[in-house]
Amino acid sequence: MTQGTKRKADALDESVLEPHTNGFYIKIAPDKSMTGVDGTMTRLCASVAGQIYNSSKAEDFNLSIGDIEADVVHFEDHGTPYEGVTPNMAAVVRGSTMILGWQGSTTISDFIADFNMVPIVSSRWSKVSKEIKVHAGFAANVDNDFALLDSELVKKMEEHKITELIMTGHSLGGAIAQVAQLCVQAALHDKTSVWSQYKENLAPTFSVRTVAFSAPMSISTVAPTSPKTTKFLKEVAAKSCNIIYNLDVVPRAFSQLDFIDQALKNIIEGIDDADVFEQLNLPVVASRFIDVSDIVMNQYKGGQNNKAMTNFMKVAKTFHHYGNIIHYKNDASRPVVYRDFNHDKKSCDMCFSDLNWETQDLGMNIIGNITHDHSFTVRGPGLAYNIKDDNPGGLTAKCYMMDKFEVLRNSEIVGAPIPFKNFDDCVKKAKEAMHTASYAAVAVWEKRQNGKEKFKNPGTLYIKKCVPGISEYAKSVGV
């Protein structure tokens, strides 16, 4: 497959999928009333957040496409030996907008940062409010990058006459972006900061916002906060959004403990005892006598009553999302805006925390679905473009070219059978119809010819749940 598409970058609404398109695109982009930026800029932010995973230098990015022209003006890998333990950061310029993008979790140190949840106050915003605390792991990355680069970044802004700064990233990168916005927003209240001086002397209309993807919560506060703090949080929330796909668990961290609890229990219940014994090189027959899922469930429930875990959960409940939470049910649905700003109930008519975990069929690849949902927004490629095809597991669904109906017997059909004209039409329609990692497209051709000739014929496509990964009669290809 080739990477990306040849279409205009913002042409998302109708018939955008082609057989050569890598992965699955989100069909309807969020509009400016949701994100604060137009659809083209949202797609550029998604592409920065997605492409940075596979970039080790500025030249690795491929951000100009269709009506988008964008240049990487700085790439920060933090140098030897720190490049392997610190998330990369890129500065991208399009017109009068600069985007700062951070890489999500890829290394052990990143995952340590993810769980370094201790809420801290920093001098970067304490002059505005000492009531606002931030996840220490995320704050450390921002403080490091700004201590090294804020003067250099402002010089780049001067060169390009920047009037808008957008922070972006996926997962950990999105959380870092949220904290970076908080820091710059606070700096604009400090007349001595380089950010405030830039706005006062060179760009009176200068503003900062976040367009994050699949990011966890980063800000901790205990209600009620003072009027000054509440006002500042509203400033931050008014220019922040987080784009989330389906049942992604990561954005529920840290305060949505019920959602996380139900997801974990669903995963544990779905443990295949025979598979566990096989992975451990133990006799599979032992799985008849030992219920691994019961053992794990009992350990999990016991851990919930641990004092240390109780203290952890108290702190976790102080974290919230600030800004619009833009949620997609699947890649063909229209985005819906939710809020989670706990100090202003009027802004929470559609509350993100009201979305519940949907119990998954135990025959499904539940962990695969969760991984798919978390990565999809920028690596699916979701809203991004020119994403390399070495995507993580769960993003590449399967299309089965069948000569027999063996696979069709034991799995549930989703929707009506779909006729197709030939192989290319089959793949295009499969992409339009599959919305989760446990779906597969089973294609049955009308004529049984050998080799490539068969794929020139019409046939019928069945979208299935829980299709087995291996079949005697199936040849699977990633679509």
Side-chain angles (χ1 to χ4, degrees):
M1 295 178 195
T2 58
Q3 297 170 15
T5 64
K6 302 299 182 184
R7 58 190 169 82
K8 277 192 172 184
D10 58 347
L12 283 169
D13 290 330
E14 295 183 17
S15 303
V16 302
L17 292 169
E18 299 296 336
H20 65 270
T21 301
N22 175 45
F24 299 80
Y25 280 93
I26 288 175
K27 313 301 188 297
I28 303 172
D31 61 40
K32 189 172 183 178
S33 67
M34 299 176 176
T35 61
V37 299
D38 62 33
T40 299
M41 191 62 75
T42 299
R43 297 210 68 219
L44 176 57
C45 288
S47 302
V48 171
Q51 290 186 31
I52 199 169
Y53 279 102
N54 297 102
S55 299
S56 57
K57 56 185 182 299
E59 293 74 21
D60 291 338
F61 286 86
N62 184 10
L63 297 172
S64 294
I65 181 175
D67 53 356
I68 292 178
E69 293 185 9
D71 299 305
V72 179
V73 298
H74 182 86
F75 184 82
E76 184 60 43
D77 67 359
H78 305 94
T80 304
Y82 307 111
E83 70 269 24
V85 298
T86 310
N88 292 336
M89 189 270 280
V92 175
V93 169
R94 183 193 182 213
S96 60
T97 297
M98 175 180 282
I99 299 169
L100 299 184
W102 281 268
Q103 182 177 312
S105 299
T106 57
T107 68
I108 292 175
S109 61
D110 291 339
F111 292 105
I112 292 172
D114 290 337
F115 288 98
N116 184 13
M117 194 191 70
V118 178
I120 64 166
V121 177
S122 167
S123 59
R124 291 193 177 273
W125 66 83
S126 60
K127 290 181 180 179
V128 176
S129 173
K130 290 184 173 67
E131 296 176 273
I132 298 171
K133 297 179 185 290
V134 161
H135 183 294
F138 307 155
N141 283 289
V142 175
D143 196 43
N144 179 60
D145 283 345
F146 280 179
L148 290 170
L149 299 169
D150 58 358
S151 295
E152 183 176 343
L153 290 171
V154 170
K155 286 181 181 178
K156 294 284 186 185
M157 287 163 51
E158 292 176 5
E159 291 174 17
H160 296 277
K161 296 180 172 58
I162 297 300
T163 59
E164 180 182 49
L165 181 63
I166 302 176
M167 312 299 191
T168 196
H170 171 262
S171 192
L172 167 64
I176 294 172
Q178 292 170 339
V179 177
Q181 182 207 355
L182 176 76
C183 291
V184 174
Q185 193 71 41
L188 293 178
H189 289 265
D190 178 3
K191 293 183 178 181
T192 65
S193 76
V194 292
W195 303 98
S196 179
Q197 290 173 8
Y198 175 79
K199 178 172 183 174
E200 183 177 350
N201 298 326
L202 297 172
T205 62
F206 175 75
S207 64
V208 58
R209 67 172 60 251
T210 297
V211 179
F213 301 87
S214 313
M217 303 167 192
S218 57
I219 299 175
S220 165
T221 55
V222 178
T225 54
S226 67
K228 181 181 178 182
T229 296
T230 301
K231 181 181 178 181
F232 177 69
L233 287 171
K234 286 183 177 181
E235 281 183 33
V236 173
K239 294 185 177 179
S240 182
C241 71
N242 191 5
I243 299 174
I244 294 167
Y245 189 80
N246 198 26
L247 296 177
D248 187 359
V249 173
V250 171
R252 273 73 184 191
F254 296 89
S255 64
Q256 291 184 21
L257 300 176
D258 288 342
F259 187 101
I260 297 169
D261 177 61
Q262 292 304 311
L264 288 173
K265 287 178 178 176
N266 201 175
I267 291 169
I268 293 169
E269 288 170 358
I271 291 175
D272 185 325
D273 296 342
D275 184 58
V276 171
F277 278 85
E278 185 176 346
Q279 294 296 322
L280 295 174
N281 292 317
L282 296 173
V284 174
V285 68
S287 65
R288 298 180 183 178
F289 310 101
I290 300 174
D291 192 324
V292 178
S293 61
D294 273 357
I295 294 171
V296 176
M297 184 68 78
N298 289 333
Q299 290 294 317
Y300 172 66
K301 290 179 178 177
Q304 288 179 308
N305 298 321
N306 181 281
K307 183 177 180 181
M309 183 58 67
T310 301
N311 291 335
F312 173 88
M313 290 190 291
K314 286 180 181 178
V315 174
K317 289 178 181 178
T318 67
F319 282 86
H320 299 277
H321 287 292
Y322 289 84
N324 285 348
I325 303 159
I326 302 168
H327 181 263
Y328 282 91
K329 178 65 178 173
N330 57 57
D331 63 9
S333 65
R334 291 191 175 276
V336 177
V337 175
Y338 293 86
R339 301 276 290 183
D340 196 31
F341 187 9
N342 67 321
H343 305 310
D344 181 5
K345 296 299 181 184
K346 292 180 181 178
S347 70
C348 294
D349 293 338
M350 296 279 287
C351 196
F352 182 57
S353 58
D354 290 339
L355 290 176
N356 297 316
W357 171 258
E358 297 173 8
T359 302
Q360 305 291 291
D361 187 313
L362 298 183
M364 283 188 170
N365 177 7
I366 301 173
I367 294 178
N369 280 349
I370 290 173
T371 302
H372 169 276
D373 288 358
H374 181 56
S375 299
F376 187 82
T377 50
V378 303
R379 303 182 80 185
L383 287 163
Y385 54 85
N386 288 342
I387 299 300
K388 293 183 178 180
D389 58 8
D390 55 348
N391 287 321
L395 292 184
T396 305
K398 288 182 171 61
C399 182
Y400 291 82
M401 277 71 75
M402 299 298 300
D403 290 322
K404 296 188 178 182
F405 287 85
E406 182 258 349
V407 167
L408 296 181
R409 291 175 183 159
N410 299 317
S411 52
E412 182 181 341
I413 294 178
V414 180
I418 303 168
F420 59 81
K421 299 174 183 177
N422 51 39
F423 176 77
D424 284 353
D425 191 42
C426 169
V427 174
K428 179 177 182 293
K429 289 179 177 177
K431 290 181 181 183
E432 291 171 345
M434 287 188 282
H435 304 312
T436 83
S438 287
Y439 281 16
V442 180
V444 180
W445 267 262
E446 290 183 3
K447 296 181 181 179
R448 293 184 184 177
Q449 294 168 302
N450 294 323
K452 295 181 180 179
E453 291 301 315
K454 175 175 69 174
F455 302 129
K456 296 178 181 179
N457 295 320
T460 304
L461 190 66
Y462 301 86
I463 306 301
K464 307 289 294 179
K465 288 183 180 179
C466 310
V467 174
I470 299 174
S471 169
E472 180 183 351
Y473 305 112
K475 177 183 177 184
S476 63
V477 294
V479 295

